[in-house]
Amino acid sequence: MNQEIVEAVKKAKEESKPRNFTQSIDVVINIKDLDVKKPENRFDEEVFLPNGRGKGIKIAVIADGELAILAENAGADLVISKADLEELGKDRKQAKKMANEYTFFVAQADMMPQVGRFLGPVLGPRKKMPKPVPATVKPDPILERLSNTVKVRIKDQPVIQAIVGSQDMDDELIADNVEAVLGVLDRNLEKGRNQIKSMYVKTTMGPVTRVI
């Protein structure tokens, strides 16, 4: 299927009108023979894209002490201290803005009770509750991996849509990323990718191009 994906990506780029920003490339997969009313048929997985997302994302680290310093040095876009957590808990509007602005959150494990108390109501519904990590962890590899990770989920519709790169990436690299997303189907669906009803790729604001 890889060659079909490469051709579809190429066509999607060609048919997309020029924009004043670098558009992302999305894959859209419709699944057949899947009853999403059954909880066991829904999933929410993080997928590492072997060739990266192509565009940067924002990652916030909730930590104090040495981990906070290390996270800042490792390039975290935001470091939230214990005091910051309490302030965000008092300002729901600001907390929501932050929750929407950052893609992933990482938290020092012993701060998770405060995270749940102050940010749980805004991060929980957005499926962005932080990954707990030990206070002694080196944050560099965690942040690097997350920066090349996308969420692949099926909720109330048998459809997956995920970012698989950006329009300035090579078509073949994007196709490899699509294959990584398809691996989720093989892990979670009874018949794996044989349950694909249809699959498309598209730029952020461009038309869809059918793969299968």
Side-chain angles (χ1 to χ4, degrees):
M1 191 191 292
N2 198 279
Q3 193 52 42
E4 289 96 326
I5 298 171
V6 171
E7 293 300 324
V9 169
K10 185 178 179 182
K11 187 178 178 185
K13 288 181 181 179
E14 289 171 350
E15 294 185 349
S16 182
K17 292 179 182 177
R19 305 285 175 180
N20 60 359
F21 66 97
T22 302
Q23 297 185 74
S24 294
I25 304 285
D26 287 11
V27 64
V28 182
I29 306 169
N30 294 301
I31 309 296
K32 61 185 178 183
D33 306 326
L34 189 71
D35 183 0
V36 293
K37 291 178 183 174
K38 294 181 178 178
E40 64 267 25
N41 288 334
R42 300 182 213 133
F43 54 81
D44 187 345
E45 241 189 73
E46 289 180 359
V47 176
F48 177 76
L49 299 180
N51 301 308
R53 297 170 63 112
K55 293 175 74 174
I57 58 168
K58 290 187 172 183
I59 302 171
V61 176
I62 302 166
D64 260 342
E66 188 177 353
L67 181 56
I69 295 167
L70 290 174
E72 200 168 317
N73 293 339
D77 299 283
L78 177 68
V79 177
I80 301 169
S81 68
K82 203 170 285 188
D84 296 332
L85 269 182
E86 293 184 16
E87 289 303 312
L88 286 166
K90 297 172 190 170
D91 189 343
R92 184 62 64 89
K93 187 178 178 182
Q94 184 62 28
K96 285 181 178 178
K97 183 181 175 186
M98 183 205 60
N100 292 331
E101 189 177 343
Y102 293 83
T103 305
F104 290 110
F105 291 79
V106 177
Q108 191 170 307
D110 58 10
M111 290 175 67
M112 283 301 288
Q114 292 101 317
V115 173
R117 180 180 166 196
F118 296 119
L119 291 181
V122 292
L123 296 181
R126 290 166 174 78
K127 304 286 186 186
K128 290 187 178 183
M129 283 301 285
K131 298 166 199 322
V133 297
T136 53
V137 77
K138 288 201 181 313
D140 306 63
I142 296 169
L143 297 181
E144 187 177 344
R145 183 171 182 83
L146 285 177
S147 67
N148 295 319
T149 295
V150 294
K151 288 206 169 195
V152 177
R153 61 168 69 113
I154 281 186
K155 286 174 65 183
D156 50 1
Q157 296 293 328
V159 179
I160 288 170
Q161 181 163 353
I163 291 173
V164 286
S166 61
Q167 66 183 143
D168 55 357
M169 287 174 61
D170 288 346
D171 302 342
E172 291 80 5
L173 298 182
I174 296 171
D176 286 344
N177 283 347
V178 173
E179 288 286 351
V181 172
L182 293 177
V184 175
L185 306 187
D186 295 331
R187 289 192 292 276
N188 288 281
L189 299 181
E190 189 179 346
K191 296 177 182 175
R193 62 186 76 192
N194 290 325
Q195 280 181 242
I196 296 175
K197 182 179 179 182
S198 58
M199 181 164 78
Y200 304 85
V201 289
K202 66 183 291 295
T203 57
T204 305
M205 301 180 73
V208 295
T209 300
R210 188 161 186 150
V211 182
I212 54 173

